[in-house]
Amino acid sequence: GDSVTQMEGPVTLSEEAFLTINCTYTATGYPSLFWYVQYPGEGLQLLLKATKADDKGSNKGFEATYRKETTSFHLEKGSVQVSDSAVYFCALSDRSNYQLIWGAGTKLIIKP
Amino acid sequence: EAGVAQSPRYKIIEKRQSVAFWCNPISGHATLYWYQQILGQGPKLLIQFQNNGVVDDSQLPKDRFSAERLKGVDSTLKIQPAKLEDSAVYLCASRTQTNTEAFFGQGTRLTVV
């Protein structure tokens, strides 16, 4: 079945560092891909999405490109802030039933 | 636009007691999901509704969990009787029929002691 694998955390960086969180997927069709963020004590918020190959999703300085050839959707940000500290989830949506398949989440800690 | 509303935010119960969670999705969203998120893990789908019908409840522990969405709007999720391993955050999400993006509520944090 479909699955999502993302890098284990926690990832600890200093403020203004470059961020990459790896995400790869397995799917039989052509899913939509998402990054959700969960701040402490909060629900899940959509950070960005891409619906087809080579699409780039972007929001709040974060970017991710749908790479069909490598089945990847890595999250990047050029300069992280302390306020980016959260748990980041990669997910895919099966186009047949629109169910979300989730990665395990990556905790990001940004130190001042 | 109002978001997905869930209540209560927190609940502490003893094992073998019952508990109910409520969700009000975004207006016009036909699809509603209940997820269970155990600490340190990704969300696990419990049940998916399309209007007032169940689309998928294959991962719902039906011996103790039940959910309904009688009028195709609000939904309730019940656990009876609760076990220690049910301690988790229960998330409700909704989306339109044609949009792949799901919107999440803040969740209900359940602690079973």
Side-chain angles (χ1 to χ4, degrees):
Chain A
D2 295 354
S3 66
V4 174
T5 302
Q6 59 182 108
M7 64 189 292
E8 290 188 18
V11 173
T12 303
L13 296 171
S14 296
E15 207 166 18
E16 300 183 3
F18 184 87
L19 167 71
T20 300
I21 300 178
N22 290 338
C23 171
T24 58
Y25 67 90
T26 302
T28 52
Y30 300 94
S32 294
L33 301 174
F34 304 86
W35 277 101
Y36 279 83
V37 59
Q38 189 171 37
Y39 297 103
E42 300 291 325
L44 288 153
Q45 302 175 27
L46 179 67
L47 181 60
L48 53 85
K49 69 178 182 180
T51 57
K52 62 182 186 299
D54 300 324
D55 268 3
K56 177 185 283 188
S58 61
N59 186 26
K60 299 182 181 179
F62 291 89
E63 293 183 340
T65 302
Y66 191 143
R67 300 286 188 200
K68 183 169 174 288
E69 64 276 12
T70 55
T71 61
S72 64
F73 193 55
H74 304 321
L75 182 68
E76 296 182 337
K77 186 175 184 181
S79 176
V80 292
Q81 306 300 313
V82 172
S83 57
D84 294 327
S85 298
V87 180
Y88 292 80
F89 290 92
C90 184
L92 68 81
S93 176
D94 183 326
R95 291 185 192 276
S96 64
N97 59 17
Y98 292 109
Q99 287 187 6
L100 284 166
I101 309 296
W102 297 86
T106 303
K107 185 173 184 177
L108 176 64
I109 301 169
I110 306 300
K111 295 187 174 180
Chain B
E1 178 182 80
V4 177
Q6 289 189 248
S7 66
R9 285 296 309 275
Y10 306 94
K11 190 75 176 177
I12 301 175
I13 62 172
E14 295 183 350
K15 60 183 179 184
R16 291 188 289 274
Q17 285 188 322
S18 62
V19 64
F21 313 127
W22 174 79
C23 172
N24 186 15
I26 294 173
S27 176
H29 282 198
T31 304
L32 184 148
Y33 307 89
W34 282 103
Y35 288 90
Q36 179 193 59
Q37 187 179 19
I38 292 172
L39 187 65
Q41 299 181 17
K44 169 190 165 185
L45 179 67
L46 292 175
I47 189 166
Q48 176 184 350
F49 290 96
Q50 183 72 17
N51 296 308
N52 61 351
V54 175
V55 173
D56 185 351
D57 63 357
S58 58
Q59 297 193 83
L60 187 74
K62 298 181 186 63
D63 57 333
R64 298 185 300 106
F65 286 64
S66 64
E68 60 183 15
R69 193 184 185 200
L70 293 175
K71 296 182 180 178
V73 181
D74 293 8
S75 178
T76 55
L77 176 70
K78 296 179 181 177
I79 308 175
Q80 182 179 10
K83 293 185 176 181
L84 296 176
E85 59 261 36
D86 297 332
S87 294
V89 176
Y90 290 84
L91 296 165
C92 179
S94 70
R95 64 168 180 83
T96 65
Q97 274 188 273
T98 55
N99 194 337
T100 57
E101 179 181 345
F103 295 83
F104 284 78
Q106 289 189 297
T108 296
R109 182 176 297 277
L110 174 67
T111 303
V112 182
V113 298

